[in-house]
Amino acid sequence: MEGRIKHSVYNITFGVLEQVITIVLTFATRTVFIKILDDSLLGVNGLFSNILSLLSLAELGFGTAIIYGMYKPIAEKDTKKVAALMNYYKKVYHILALVILLIGLALVPFLKNIVDVDMPIHEFVIYYLIFLSDSVFSYILANRTAIIEANQEYYLIKKYNTGFIILKNILQMLVLVILKNFIVYLLIQVLITFLANVYGAIIAKKKYPEAFEKVELEKEEKKSLIENVKSMMVYKIGSVFMNHTDEILISMLTGTVNVGYYSNYNMIVYSIMRFTGILFNAVKASVGNLNASDDKEKKINIFNRLSFLVDWIYGFMAVALFILLNDFIILWIGEAYIFQTLTVFAIVLNFYLKGFISTISVYRDTTGLFRQTKYVYFVAAVLNILFSVILGKLYGVFGILIATAMAMLLTNVWFEPYMLFKQYFQMDVKPYFIARIKNVLIMVIASSVLWILFQSIELLQFHTMVIFLIKLCVTVIVPNVVFLMAYFRKEEFRYYSNLVKNLIKKN
């Protein structure tokens, strides 16, 4: 147990460090981008990023299935089995790199039907091909670091990734300022992706040389793995279409420039989501190890503690984002780049719903639950596209984004928790849903208190920056006080309180 906590703490610490640096530098680079390059290039940048994310569905869940398959042999110190999985992983990912390249090239003739900007076709085709090469490079050596993730030591890669992140953003800002060239800006991304993957592969092979022995996976083991991949395949396809089609639909239905505006909000929201996601990525391998070895009571206790963190962290962040997002955009790049309040609400709602099932996602990937839930994201994706086309034509960007929230609410938000409790914990799911509904009510109370307070603050004749800083301070304090008042008697709160006290005493 101490080993799992130790590795989780390391993963969280280095993950936080990497994410802080990433957020600061990404904002700096995006600011320079917006000031120097055209808005249409901002839209193209966001659109092609999501098209290439769609191509990642070719991976079909092999990565998740193989890492899931490693937990048990690692716990049992079966190095031959681990090496066989790694060798099979390598072969599959080399094939995937070729498949993604071929599918990506096949999409080139259709780009003119997706991109809605005043730009020569050959220009955005060149941009797209550079994005495609970046995606292909990311698969060539991706399998090497799987052994690090499965061993709960992802912080080893995080340490060095931070250096590559710094290098990439500094070079991109210099190119924007000096050359004002979008192509060179993109080529730097490709180069850094390649170098980071090579370095990660070197670290993995040096740390775990036994995992790179030439061992073939037995036929029965391949068959079992393929069964997991088949289950993941449907889920993966649905997940990718669910999470990476909004920008494409926004471009087709409302114009590519709006993709650029949305990508500004998305950058803020996903920076926070990645930041909060550090916790769940860091503990995923530990949960997988726990599921392979420990008792039922401990499993449900860990689940409840993680769910409690989700309630508090994502609840607070959702309230803060709704209150402060537009104010921040205005201060950052100007009022011309903001969306209406309803659109901001839809963006924040999607953020919260994705966070809502973070704990479920960890358990789905580490318990093999993707077999029982393989169709849910596919159904969600179909509903999302259907609702988005209808509501997008009626209400524009807001309609497309609220359609995503509706699709999630009708599918995986309730179905995945239901299946986890039924199949894995073998317990009634009602207490879980009651706790989540209570959390939403607490968020509503916190938001209402803030709204009342800010009616007075808006009347103050201070500079916009001063008003924003006052709002920021109040928003940090009020929701957390409300959460504290609601949760201080819960066992999970006492657990984390004692954990913090013990850490303080040790230091």
Side-chain angles (χ1 to χ4, degrees):
M1 183 67 177
E2 288 183 5
R4 285 195 290 268
I5 293 174
K6 180 181 177 181
H7 284 120
S8 294
V9 169
Y10 280 157
N11 288 334
I12 291 168
T13 301
F14 285 103
V16 167
L17 177 63
E18 182 197 45
Q19 200 57 47
V20 168
I21 292 171
T22 300
I23 289 171
V24 172
L25 289 176
T26 301
F27 269 100
T29 305
R30 176 60 67 97
T31 303
V32 175
F33 190 114
I34 291 169
K35 299 296 182 184
I36 291 177
L37 297 183
D38 189 80
D39 283 352
S40 61
L41 289 178
L42 184 65
V44 166
N45 191 68
L47 177 62
F48 286 166
S49 294
N50 277 272
I51 291 175
L52 270 300
S53 294
L54 274 176
L55 288 183
S56 70
L57 65 84
E59 193 261 354
L60 297 179
F62 267 100
T64 301
I66 289 176
I67 291 171
Y68 167 68
M70 285 184 190
Y71 291 138
K72 187 174 181 180
I74 286 173
E76 296 174 350
K77 302 188 185 303
D78 186 352
T79 57
K80 295 294 183 185
K81 176 73 173 291
V82 172
L85 285 166
M86 287 289 290
N87 194 45
Y88 187 63
Y89 199 176
K90 176 183 176 180
K91 292 177 182 177
V92 169
Y93 263 51
H94 284 177
I95 294 170
L96 286 173
L98 179 61
V99 169
I100 287 172
L101 176 62
L102 295 176
I103 295 175
L105 291 174
L107 289 177
V108 170
F110 303 99
L111 291 178
K112 62 181 181 293
N113 300 317
I114 300 172
V115 181
D116 180 21
V117 290
D118 186 16
M119 180 188 301
I121 293 176
H122 73 273
E123 283 190 27
F124 62 73
V125 168
I126 291 171
Y127 303 148
Y128 171 76
L129 291 175
I130 297 174
F131 271 99
L132 178 60
S133 63
D134 184 51
S135 182
V136 171
F137 278 136
S138 70
Y139 277 89
I140 291 174
L141 294 170
N143 66 291
R144 298 293 185 95
T145 55
I147 183 66
I148 294 177
E149 184 175 346
N151 269 285
Q152 312 172 47
E153 294 182 322
Y154 203 62
Y155 63 87
L156 293 171
I157 298 301
K158 293 288 185 184
K159 287 196 293 185
Y160 303 106
N161 271 351
T162 303
F164 286 113
I165 289 166
I166 293 170
L167 179 62
K168 182 194 77 171
N169 282 278
I170 289 174
L171 289 175
Q172 286 184 324
M173 282 190 280
L174 287 173
V175 164
L176 289 172
V177 172
I178 298 170
L179 301 178
K180 298 179 174 59
N181 190 299
F182 187 48
I183 290 178
V184 181
Y185 170 90
L186 295 178
L187 287 174
I188 289 170
Q189 172 69 47
V190 178
L191 175 64
I192 298 299
T193 297
F194 178 73
L195 292 177
N197 281 337
V198 169
Y199 201 86
I202 292 170
I203 296 299
K205 196 164 186 178
K206 184 178 179 181
K207 178 75 175 175
Y208 303 103
E210 69 280 359
F212 295 88
E213 295 177 10
K214 298 296 181 180
V215 182
E216 289 297 319
L217 203 61
E218 294 179 5
K219 287 185 178 180
E220 284 301 313
E221 292 171 333
K222 282 185 182 179
K223 185 177 178 182
S224 175
L225 180 62
I226 293 299
E227 285 301 312
N228 284 340
V229 170
K230 285 180 180 177
S231 297
M232 279 297 297
M233 180 174 66
V234 178
Y235 194 99
K236 177 76 173 179
I237 292 171
S239 175
V240 170
F241 274 99
M242 182 71 184
N243 293 316
H244 298 288
T245 54
D246 284 349
E247 284 85 349
I248 296 171
L249 291 168
I250 289 171
S251 178
M252 295 175 69
L253 296 175
T254 72
T256 304
V257 171
N258 278 328
V259 177
Y261 295 163
Y262 175 57
S263 69
N264 292 330
Y265 284 85
N266 234 8
M267 186 187 70
I268 299 167
V269 170
Y270 273 93
S271 292
I272 294 169
M273 183 168 280
R274 286 194 300 268
F275 199 92
T276 52
I278 290 167
L279 169 69
F280 303 101
N281 289 329
V283 302
K284 182 179 283 188
S286 298
V287 170
N289 185 269
L290 172 70
N291 291 334
S293 58
D294 288 329
D295 60 73
K296 181 178 178 181
E297 185 178 352
K298 187 176 288 185
K299 290 174 185 178
I300 191 65
N301 285 339
I302 296 297
F303 175 82
N304 286 335
R305 288 166 187 169
L306 287 174
S307 297
F308 174 79
L309 282 183
V310 167
D311 284 345
W312 194 313
I313 293 172
Y314 277 93
F316 161 67
M317 292 309 307
V319 172
L321 283 169
F322 181 65
I323 296 294
L324 299 173
L325 252 180
N326 268 354
D327 289 342
F328 181 80
I329 293 285
I330 291 170
L331 278 174
W332 175 34
I333 49 178
E335 196 167 352
Y337 291 89
I338 65 169
F339 283 135
Q340 295 179 342
T341 302
L342 274 178
T343 305
V344 176
F345 170 76
I347 291 170
V348 174
L349 179 59
N350 285 326
F351 163 81
Y352 179 71
L353 291 178
K354 288 171 184 175
F356 183 93
I357 59 169
S358 294
T359 311
I360 303 297
S361 299
V362 170
Y363 277 76
R364 178 193 68 224
D365 292 344
T366 57
T367 63
L369 191 68
F370 42 75
R371 299 182 194 117
Q372 287 80 23
T373 60
K374 59 186 177 183
Y375 295 112
V376 67
Y377 247 125
F378 183 77
V379 175
V382 172
L383 290 176
N384 180 36
I385 293 171
L386 178 64
F387 293 162
S388 292
V389 171
I390 296 170
L391 297 177
K393 288 180 178 179
L394 293 173
Y395 304 111
V397 177
F398 166 72
I400 293 169
L401 298 179
I402 204 67
T404 303
M406 290 169 59
M408 283 193 285
L409 284 167
L410 290 172
T411 53
N412 54 308
V413 165
W414 70 268
F415 184 73
E416 289 195 59
Y418 168 76
M419 289 304 297
L420 178 67
F421 274 79
K422 180 181 178 181
Q423 299 289 333
Y424 182 66
F425 292 126
Q426 297 178 342
M427 296 172 63
D428 189 359
V429 73
K430 287 180 183 177
Y432 170 84
F433 284 124
I434 290 170
R436 306 297 77 82
I437 292 169
K438 285 180 179 178
N439 194 67
V440 172
L441 293 175
I442 293 166
M443 290 167 59
V444 171
I445 292 169
S447 299
S448 301
V449 172
L450 287 173
W451 185 82
I452 294 168
L453 288 172
F454 290 157
Q455 296 306 301
S456 304
I457 293 174
E458 293 287 355
L459 298 175
L460 297 175
Q461 299 299 311
F462 291 141
H463 188 275
T464 307
M465 174 62 81
V466 176
I467 294 291
F468 177 78
L469 290 175
I470 292 171
K471 279 187 171 184
L472 177 62
C473 292
V474 174
T475 303
V476 168
I477 294 168
V478 170
N480 285 305
V481 169
V482 174
F483 279 113
L484 178 63
M485 292 171 64
Y487 288 142
F488 75 96
R489 287 193 179 93
K490 286 181 72 69
E491 185 279 327
E492 291 82 9
F493 179 81
R494 291 196 298 271
Y495 168 80
Y496 287 111
S497 297
N498 292 332
L499 194 64
V500 171
K501 288 175 185 176
N502 291 333
L503 288 172
I504 292 172
K505 286 178 182 178
K506 287 181 181 179
N507 295 326

